[in-house]
Each structure stands twice: as C-alpha cells, then as structure tokens.
Amino acid sequence: MRDRWNPITRNTKRQPSTIDVNKGETSPMSRIVIVSNRTPGKGPAAGGLAVALRKVLGEREGFWFGWSGKLSDQPSREARIEDIGGLQVAQIDLTRDDHHAYYAGFSNSILWPSFHLRLDLATIESHWYEGYRRVNHQFARGLLPLLKPDDIIWVHDYHLIPLASELRQLGARNRIGFYLHIPFPTSDALYAVPHHEELMRDLSRYDLIGLQARRDVAAFTEFAEHQAPSTFGGHEARAIDFSRTEVDAFPIGSDPEAFARIAVSPAATKMVRRMQRSLGEQRLILGVDRLDYSKGLPQRVEAYEKLLANNARMRRSVHLLQVAPPSRDTIKEYQETSDTLDAMCGRVMGHFAEPDWQPLTYVKRAYGQPSLAGLYRLARVALVTPLRDGMNLVAHEYVGSQNPADPGVLVLSRFAGAAEIFPDALLVNPFDTDETSEALRMALDMPLEERKQRWQALMAAARKYNVDDWAVSFLDRLAPGSLDRSSTTRDILYLASVA
C-alpha cells in the first residue's frame, strides 16, 4: 500500500462567527460537516481526536452534528443550533427507549463485542436493531435541512453505520465519508452480527471508509471477495456492490509534540513529584485504560503477578499503577470485568504486600492530560495490552511524553492497531501472561542505550502518524475529484463486487 502520510498544506480560513449553518461567508472550499454520536461539550476538548476535529472546523467552514446528551419524551423534529466554544454545533434529543436500544443495546451490546471478537459477550435483542435504525433515520432527518449541496460529510464510528443510507434515501448526494474507530471484525464474527448484510450494504453507500489498520482493510476486503449472501427464507440476497466505495487504512495518532510539552508543564511536574515521594526508588509500571473487557486488564494483572512470583529481586523495586475509570458501567459485562479486576488486585496485594510495601495501586477515576502526561514521563514501562483494539492512543501519548535522555519502554499488544506502526515496542500476545511477564522483565532490565534507540524509532512513527495529518489526509481523500485517483484497495473491492 502506498505511503499516504506526507504533510499536506492546510487552508487556514477563519470560520465565520454566525451560528446559522446555512449562511455566512462564501468559502472557496466545501464546508465540513462532522457527525458523531455525541457533540463536543462546553469545556476544553478531552482527547486528541476532539482537538483535531475542532481544529478542522477552525480552519474550514462547517459544523458538528450529533446527539445533545438529553433524553426527551418525544424525539427532536429538528436540530438546535448553537455556538459551543467557538464551534457551530447542531444537536438533537433522543427518547429514552430509542437511546437505550441504539446505544446500550445494538451499538454496545452487539456491535462492540462482535467487532472486538467477543461473540460470547454479545447479547442479541431483535428490537434493538429497530431502535438503531430509527435513531440513524432521526440523525439523517435532522441533518438534511442543514446541508448545502457541496458539503462534505464525515461520519464517525459504529453507532452511525447506516447514516449514509438514510441520507441517500432522503435525497442527499453529498460526498460522505465514514471512519471506524474500533477494529473491523473477521468475516466469521461479522456473519454473527444480526442484519450484517444490511449494515455492509449501508457501508457501500459511503464514498470513503477509513479503518485503523491494514488488518482491518484485509478483513473488509475478505468479506467483499467472499460474500455469502443469506438464503434465509428461500430468497437469495444479491451481492453488495462496493465499486463506488474506497476503503483504506488511516491510522489515527495523537499530538506527540504537544504531549512532550505537557509532560514538563507545572501540572505534570507536580504529579511527578507526588509519585516520586510515594515510590522512592521503585520503578513505575503504568497502565491507563477505560474499564472495558477489551483492554485485557485481568490478564495484565496476572502477568504482573507472575513477574513478582518468578523474579523475587523485582519485589519492593517495582510498582504497578493501573488507572481504569469506569466505562458503560450499566452494562452487565462491564460490571463483571470490574468485579474480576477487583478480586485479582486483591489477590496480588494479599500475596505480595508487606507492611512497608504495596505491589500495586488500582485507581478507578480519570485524570486530566497534564497529570497523565506526568505519569507517562515517570513510568519506566507502559503496559498497553488490549486483547483487541482499534489503535490505542495511550501508546502514542506515552511515547510523546518520554524524556529523550532517559525514556521508558512500551510493552504493546500485537492485537492493538498501534502494533502496525510501533514495531520497536516489545510486542506481546496479551492472552499469554507468561510472555507478557517476560516482556515486563526485559523492559525493566533493558539498558539505557537500547531504550533510547527503541524510543527514537517510536517517536519518529508517532510524529509521522500524528492526529492532525490523519484528519487532513482523510479529508483530502474525501474531497470532490479524489475518486479519480488510483487506489489498489478500491480496485480489489470493485473486482470482488463484480465477480
């Protein structure tokens, strides 16, 4: 696949101050319309993605569309438009029943586990799909009156797979792109998703589909080449035509230079000093994750337990800090993951703790970027070991925060999208806790010169795949006229669709 990550000159036209999305200055460039499940809040953006998309709308005329976060007795008939932190934001309300079916139900109890290859955790309720389609139709109905013919629409994530179909059925002919922030499933897992054919047909209505990694493009292409339409009910469905859809990997990143600055800021330094007083001479092993079953947290604690059991010299000289704020804690599988992790941390404490030494600290709350950057910089090892992940930006943030003169070591799951661009990390199979334990030992014993060499290669990759160039690269490919460019992936999908 060709390198698509050369820096691109960006237009810096200032966004008009009016909040009427259909009026304002005439721009020589198409407006950008970003659509996501939730719209940005009034506070500062919490993550690199939100910062990057805010920057897109700061440099190009456009607006952000999504759910307001409010539940009402009746669904919104039209969007409310307001200025939020200098951004034009259009929002709709959802009913409680529709939101539950769409979000907690079909999106997070069926699509999320299936796309992460955890079919055993998928819960299937047929009415959830009806709510999922209903909300996507409501998004389309609320968005359509706000669109101009040359607007470019960028839809984000698995909650909104049907949105292009819904917009097309209402008459929209705009260029529409879709970006999936989680892994794309293997064909077998995809076939287990209810209504998967309709969902894949929905994806064929997009002009450009962006995936995190080459493995995801390969999985998508495998489906396109070997479609097995259902014959359920005696009516064979026709194969899906992907000939008008371009599919490619656009690995998302962070802003490594920003994290390098934040990591030495006063707030970060304050966190470092607090931790240094607590740790003394102990070396810090750090994990930062949402409390989610896809992150492999129980396996991580088991690997750390084996490190202490097999290497007595490591006791009292290392400390594991796991930061894991709750995520979707109303869903049963997440509660079970939390209970399992509580029990495993208690077991390690009971087995190895001494009156003057604790082997680990487990924190169930979130920290701001400066505090995290300080923890990243202090940590000798970052343990980033999801069982399956789209990219995992913690790996990027850790690399960006390191001290070039004394960098730490990244231990990274082979099943994170980040593994494709960070081969100089210590790559592990997170299901094999013996292997992860040995990687931890290697990381803790690694000499300074090797740590520097590995970090320099990792930092070069983090700079290459930064979040700003990710956004510009995707939008450049989605822009009108980009279909004329050659694309190996698109040619493959076209041949598959007509075979």
Side-chain angles (χ1 to χ4, degrees):
M1 188 175 294
R2 299 192 310 278
D3 185 357
R4 306 191 187 279
W5 300 98
N6 293 329
I8 299 171
T9 303
R10 294 186 281 276
N11 179 285
T12 56
K13 176 184 179 298
R14 189 173 66 85
Q15 179 177 314
S17 59
T18 177
I19 63 171
D20 185 340
V21 298
N22 279 318
K23 297 179 181 178
E25 301 171 1
T26 300
S27 170
M29 304 178 71
S30 300
R31 296 192 310 175
I32 301 300
V33 179
I34 293 170
V35 188
S36 61
N37 172 52
R38 287 295 303 270
T39 55
K42 294 186 177 181
L49 173 63
V51 171
L53 295 182
R54 280 177 176 269
K55 188 178 293 186
V56 166
L57 291 179
E59 297 173 349
R60 298 275 294 273
E61 189 180 353
F63 62 97
W64 199 316
F65 183 94
W67 174 48
S68 65
K70 298 178 181 178
L71 301 174
S72 59
D73 293 334
Q74 296 294 326
S76 300
R77 300 190 67 85
E78 58 184 29
R80 295 189 308 277
I81 303 165
E82 60 180 310
D83 186 293
I84 298 180
L87 296 181
Q88 295 182 79
V89 178
Q91 303 177 97
I92 59 171
D93 300 338
L94 302 177
T95 67
R96 186 173 302 278
D97 287 346
D98 278 355
H99 178 261
H100 177 77
Y102 148 81
Y103 185 77
F106 196 81
S107 291
N108 288 315
S109 294
I110 297 179
L111 292 181
W112 177 274
S114 300
F115 280 39
H116 286 84
L117 306 186
R118 291 302 306 271
L119 297 175
D120 57 312
L121 298 181
T123 303
I124 296 175
E125 297 283 348
S126 60
H127 66 279
W128 286 345
Y129 182 69
E130 298 168 9
Y132 180 74
R133 298 290 319 192
R134 212 163 34 242
V135 169
N136 272 267
H137 178 72
Q138 186 183 343
F139 266 61
R141 192 178 61 197
L143 177 59
L144 188 72
L146 307 179
L147 295 177
K148 294 180 179 179
D150 63 346
D151 285 347
I152 294 174
I153 305 168
W154 190 3
V155 180
H156 288 267
D157 229 359
Y158 58 104
H159 316 84
L160 300 173
I161 290 172
L163 187 57
S165 287
E166 298 292 344
L167 284 168
R168 303 290 189 211
Q169 289 171 12
L170 294 175
R173 295 295 178 263
N174 304 68
R175 295 277 292 169
I176 310 178
F178 176 82
Y179 192 82
L180 184 66
H181 291 267
I182 64 176
F184 192 83
T186 62
S187 289
D188 285 347
L190 184 59
Y191 288 137
V193 175
H195 305 279
H196 69 272
E197 289 180 62
E198 294 170 53
L199 295 173
M200 292 302 289
R201 205 172 300 279
D202 290 329
L203 287 174
S204 75
R205 306 302 300 276
Y206 288 94
D207 297 289
L208 174 64
I209 295 173
L211 303 172
Q212 291 277 16
R214 293 191 300 273
R215 57 135 201 237
D216 301 316
V217 175
F220 194 108
T221 304
E222 181 185 10
F223 176 88
E225 290 179 330
H226 305 289
Q227 293 182 54
S230 172
T231 57
F232 186 75
H235 301 287
E236 183 172 354
R238 57 187 174 84
I240 301 167
D241 179 7
F242 292 106
S243 63
R244 291 177 294 277
T245 301
E246 188 175 3
V247 182
D248 209 345
F250 295 83
I252 194 172
S254 68
D255 185 343
E257 305 300 345
F259 270 89
R261 294 190 298 271
I262 295 170
V264 293
S265 67
T269 302
K270 181 180 179 181
M271 173 60 80
V272 169
R273 288 174 178 165
R274 284 175 56 193
M275 288 298 297
Q276 284 175 330
R277 286 195 297 269
S278 174
L279 290 170
E281 297 299 317
Q282 296 174 82
R283 292 164 294 176
L284 179 64
I285 300 170
L286 178 66
V288 177
D289 308 84
R290 288 185 302 106
L291 187 51
D292 186 294
Y293 54 74
S294 69
K295 301 301 183 182
L297 299 181
Q299 291 86 346
R300 184 179 306 175
V301 173
E302 183 177 330
Y304 179 65
E305 182 180 27
K306 289 182 176 180
L307 173 76
L308 298 179
N310 297 333
N311 301 273
R313 64 186 175 87
M314 295 288 184
R315 300 172 200 171
R316 304 181 68 89
S317 70
V318 296
H319 187 87
L320 171 65
L321 169 60
Q322 177 61 58
V323 178
S327 168
R328 304 175 188 138
D329 49 4
T330 60
I331 298 176
K332 175 174 63 72
E333 289 77 13
Y334 290 79
Q335 295 171 341
E336 291 174 351
T337 298
S338 179
D339 292 343
T340 299
L341 194 57
D342 287 345
M344 294 196 68
C345 289
R347 187 178 75 195
V348 172
M349 289 290 289
H351 191 181
F352 294 105
E354 298 178 16
D356 59 345
W357 178 66
Q358 293 185 346
L360 62 81
T361 301
Y362 172 32
V363 182
K364 291 185 180 181
R365 65 176 178 273
Y367 289 89
Q369 276 192 350
S371 294
L372 285 178
L375 292 172
Y376 290 144
R377 192 173 182 88
L378 181 62
R380 172 57 63 87
V381 182
L383 201 47
V384 183
T385 53
L387 304 181
R388 185 170 170 83
D389 218 339
M391 172 54 63
N392 196 296
L393 293 181
V394 169
H396 286 257
E397 294 167 1
Y398 176 76
V399 170
S401 300
Q402 292 309 290
N403 178 358
D406 187 20
V409 181
L410 175 61
V411 176
L412 179 62
S413 167
R414 295 181 181 276
F415 308 127
E420 289 191 3
I421 63 174
F422 288 152
D424 290 276
L426 294 182
L427 299 181
V428 298
N429 170 10
F431 295 94
D432 185 345
T433 54
D434 289 312
E435 181 178 285
T436 305
S437 174
E438 176 60 13
L440 272 175
R441 186 203 61 76
M442 291 174 59
L444 291 164
D445 288 342
M446 188 177 293
L448 177 60
E449 195 57 38
E450 183 180 353
R451 285 191 277 126
K452 286 183 176 180
Q453 290 173 357
R454 287 180 179 270
W455 174 78
Q456 288 165 1
L458 293 171
M459 189 62 171
R463 288 180 174 131
K464 180 178 180 181
Y465 297 105
N466 69 82
V467 69
D468 287 340
D469 285 349
W470 163 81
V472 172
S473 176
F474 186 92
L475 289 172
D476 179 65
R477 290 280 289 283
L478 184 56
S482 62
L483 278 178
D484 296 334
R485 304 172 193 176
S486 61
S487 169
T488 301
T489 304
R490 186 166 172 267
D491 291 344
I492 291 172
L493 292 176
Y494 172 74
L495 292 172
S497 69
V498 300

